[in-house]
Amino acid sequence: MHAPSLTRLRSVLQDHIDRGILPGAVALVHHRGQTVLHDALGAQAPAAGAPAMAPDSIFRIYSMTKPVVSLATLMLMEEGRLPLSHPVARYLPTFAGQGVFDPATGGTTAVQREATVHDLLRHTAGLSYAWDTGPVAQAYQAARIGSRRDGNAALAKAIGPLPLLHQPGSCWEYSRATDVLGALLEVVEGETLGAILQRRVFGPLQMHDTGFHVPAEQLHRLAQPFARDPATGAEVALNDVARPAAFESGGGGLVSTAGDYARFARLLLAGGTLDGVRLASRATVGFMAADHLGDRIPAAGDILPEGYGFGLGVAVRRSAGLAPHAASVGQYGWSGMGGTFFLVDPAEDLVAILLTQAPGQLRYLCELYPALVYAAL
């Protein structure tokens, strides 16, 4: 990679910190078998006297949890224990007999087919995140879906009877699907999601600082956001990760470091293996990173960038053009609402990660950081 361009990448991030746009950040780039950048910039917290950001600072990674849970699901598929064509209701009974909201009548119509495990993985199960104000969102709010903290089983039990936004398999809608998937994995494995991920992913990959909370003795390493968003002035409140959580959110509950998450991303880049440890086959990782929407399944909203489809837990670049930054066809990754982002580019043998705690800047960072990284190739 071009060293002056990597220097510019650091300078741009530092400029954003100096101007009060970001509190601090950790950037990592791994290219052709070497980590060519792993820099910590700014402060770990915006409070006076806060320590400097460190390469091993811990971040709430929110939706970058989804690819990890998706890989664990595919590992069960490889073992013949969880066919993706199975209906969700086979494992979570409240998903039987679901209905789709009908705006013409205000009621529901029966599903044309049941939502499957595959639908959960690719966000085509008809579920919602209830970010709007429509009738389905109101049903989620009445059921306290966004505020439930009583465990994955209880969350799935509450979501199952609620009206769907779309017929299963008909539309990509970013949603609580991976939270439901976490509950499903708990049924199959008979243990908590945190225990499953520790045994299957974090332990084997030596991701020692990744989990659903930060131990008390490591809280001094936790990165923090500004109290208020610098652009809007709105109060910023992120997950409380200082104690074990009853709700281990498969859609957004993990904390991690750049080094830990790089081990996960490098495993994907290498086709399911890292340092002699194999978690999945090359074919399975390729299946995960393939576009599962095609031209038949449209994407609702503006969460999925133009030029991208969606695989199993990751967005997948379908065209060298259309998107507002360079990337190879087949590049994949995802972000987290707290201000985190990663990509894996098999064609360039490249992994790039940016961790900060600046939720209001996420969309901008998802465009800025890849542009800076690809400028160094």
Side-chain angles (χ1 to χ4, degrees):
M1 301 191 81
H2 187 233
S5 295
L6 291 176
T7 299
R8 181 175 58 203
L9 182 155
R10 297 183 191 95
S11 298
V12 170
L13 293 177
Q14 185 63 54
D15 177 65
H16 282 65
I17 293 166
D18 294 343
R19 290 191 287 138
I21 298 171
L22 302 176
V26 176
L28 186 149
V29 178
H30 188 86
H31 183 236
R32 295 184 179 175
Q34 294 186 359
T35 298
V36 297
L37 175 73
H38 188 182
D39 279 9
L41 303 99
Q44 193 170 266
M53 189 70 79
D56 66 347
S57 291
I58 300 171
F59 295 79
R60 304 162 182 87
I61 63 169
Y62 283 92
S63 287
M64 280 168 56
T65 306
K66 290 180 171 73
V68 179
V69 173
S70 298
L71 180 65
T73 303
L74 296 175
M75 292 166 69
L76 288 170
M77 177 200 73
E78 285 193 334
E79 295 167 7
R81 299 174 58 204
L82 186 58
L84 301 194
S85 60
H86 275 180
V88 178
R90 180 176 180 133
Y91 306 93
L92 303 171
T94 60
F95 279 72
Q98 289 184 297
V100 183
F101 176 71
D102 184 349
T105 65
T108 60
T109 57
V111 294
Q112 296 169 1
R113 68 161 177 80
E114 291 187 279
T116 65
V117 178
H118 189 202
D119 287 317
L120 293 180
L121 282 163
R122 65 181 183 173
H123 290 271
T124 57
L127 302 176
S128 173
Y129 254 128
W131 287 333
D132 61 348
T133 58
V136 173
Q138 292 172 21
Y140 273 60
Q141 292 156 11
R144 298 190 307 107
I145 298 304
S147 60
R148 298 192 76 95
R149 295 294 182 267
D150 47 0
N152 287 315
L155 180 81
K157 185 177 181 180
I159 287 180
L162 300 180
L164 299 177
L165 273 173
H166 313 283
Q167 287 286 345
S170 69
C171 184
W172 185 88
E173 178 86 33
Y174 198 47
S175 71
R176 293 274 176 187
T178 318
D179 284 331
V180 174
L181 194 59
L184 192 152
L185 293 185
E186 291 184 344
V187 171
V188 175
E189 289 280 56
E191 56 186 340
T192 66
L193 181 60
I196 295 167
L197 297 182
Q198 177 61 37
R199 175 171 54 83
R200 287 189 164 272
V201 181
F202 306 148
L205 288 184
Q206 300 182 46
M207 295 170 65
H208 301 304
D209 292 315
T210 304
F212 285 107
H213 80 286
V214 181
E217 65 273 16
Q218 300 299 334
L219 282 172
H220 65 281
R221 297 166 52 200
L222 180 62
Q224 300 291 2
F226 292 119
R228 294 190 175 275
D229 184 275
T232 66
E235 185 178 352
V236 177
L238 300 184
N239 286 346
D240 178 5
V241 294
R243 55 189 58 85
F247 173 41
E248 296 179 333
S249 168
L254 287 178
V255 297
S256 191
T257 65
D260 266 17
Y261 207 87
R263 292 190 64 78
F264 173 73
R266 287 172 56 202
L267 174 112
L268 297 179
L269 179 65
T273 185
L274 183 68
D275 295 340
V277 174
R278 177 169 289 281
L279 299 189
S281 78
R282 176 172 51 83
T284 294
V285 173
F287 176 61
M288 175 180 176
D291 175 32
H292 285 248
L293 302 182
D295 296 327
R296 183 180 61 85
I297 301 176
D302 60 355
I303 298 294
L304 196 61
E306 190 171 9
Y308 283 80
F310 202 80
L312 305 181
V314 290
V316 181
R317 185 75 170 236
R318 297 199 293 194
S319 168
L322 298 179
H325 60 80
S328 307
V329 173
Q331 174 257 313
Y332 59 94
W334 201 235
S335 60
M337 67 166 285
T340 62
F341 171 85
F342 89 104
L343 66 83
V344 176
D345 189 331
E348 295 289 353
D349 197 2
L350 173 71
V351 162
I353 296 169
L354 178 67
L355 302 182
T356 184
Q357 301 285 233
Q361 310 304 319
L362 175 61
R363 291 204 175 194
Y364 169 63
L365 293 173
C366 288
E367 178 179 346
L368 173 71
Y369 191 61
L372 295 172
V373 171
Y374 279 92
L377 285 173

